[in-house]
Amino acid sequence: MSAPVKPAKVIDPAKAGKFSFEIMAYTDVIGGNVMDTKYAKELLTIDPFAELENDCLIVCQFSGGSPHMALWSKTGKDEDGKFARRGADNEAFRIHFGVTYTKAAIGEWINILGRVVSDPREFPKEMPISYSSYSSLPARAA
């Protein structure tokens, strides 16, 4: 049994900046397996100039790939796990699926496109169990 999902921090549509725009992004896992994960796609409104805060929803892009929605948070440490001063260049940040990066990585292999503008929503939703087991494979002849 998984822990209850709490609503992620988003920007209220009435408070969105004038430079907000819509983008198609991958959001929740809807199936697949470890090697071929299937994601839902949604048209999301994002504010590229909104301030990021712990546990807020963002849209990010890895190495110029497809945009993904993710939870963002500060770690308070550097990339080596040592405590870092808030705002320092070596301060590390975390994206919910286990990626940790520093300011130096922005633009190099990760791009933060903006913060999600929407009504309150839960993220991530509970992932469906669709992985096949090895016991269902036919036995090999010796």
Side-chain angles (χ1 to χ4, degrees):
M1 180 147 181
S2 62
V5 179
K6 62 179 182 175
K9 295 177 184 173
V10 293
I11 297 175
D12 183 27
K15 296 178 182 176
K18 65 180 180 179
F19 295 107
S20 298
F21 63 94
E22 291 184 332
I23 188 168
M24 187 66 74
Y26 291 115
T27 57
D28 299 299
V29 174
I30 57 173
N33 58 41
V34 175
M35 299 302 289
D36 185 29
T37 305
K38 307 285 187 223
Y39 292 94
K41 287 186 204 174
E42 289 183 43
L43 187 63
L44 298 172
T45 302
I46 61 173
D47 186 345
F49 299 112
E51 186 176 332
L52 302 180
E53 58 181 295
N54 279 335
D55 297 326
C56 70
L57 280 178
I58 62 165
V59 174
C60 61
Q61 207 174 11
F62 297 102
S63 300
S66 301
H68 285 264
M69 185 171 71
L71 276 174
W72 181 92
S73 62
K74 294 180 179 182
T75 63
K77 300 181 179 183
D78 65 9
E79 57 192 333
D80 296 326
K82 297 176 185 169
F83 288 103
R85 184 175 43 85
R86 182 178 293 159
D89 288 339
N90 65 341
E91 182 182 15
F93 306 98
R94 181 172 296 123
I95 295 176
H96 86 278
F97 30 77
V99 176
T100 302
Y101 71 94
T102 61
K103 289 180 182 176
I106 297 174
E108 188 175 315
W109 60 267
I110 187 169
N111 288 316
I112 307 298
L113 302 178
R115 191 165 164 189
V116 175
V117 176
S118 77
D119 294 325
R121 64 183 292 163
E122 293 180 344
F123 184 83
K125 292 181 182 170
E126 192 168 326
M127 189 174 82
I129 299 174
S130 61
Y131 298 110
S132 59
S133 65
Y134 289 107
S135 61
S136 64
L137 297 175
R140 291 181 14 179

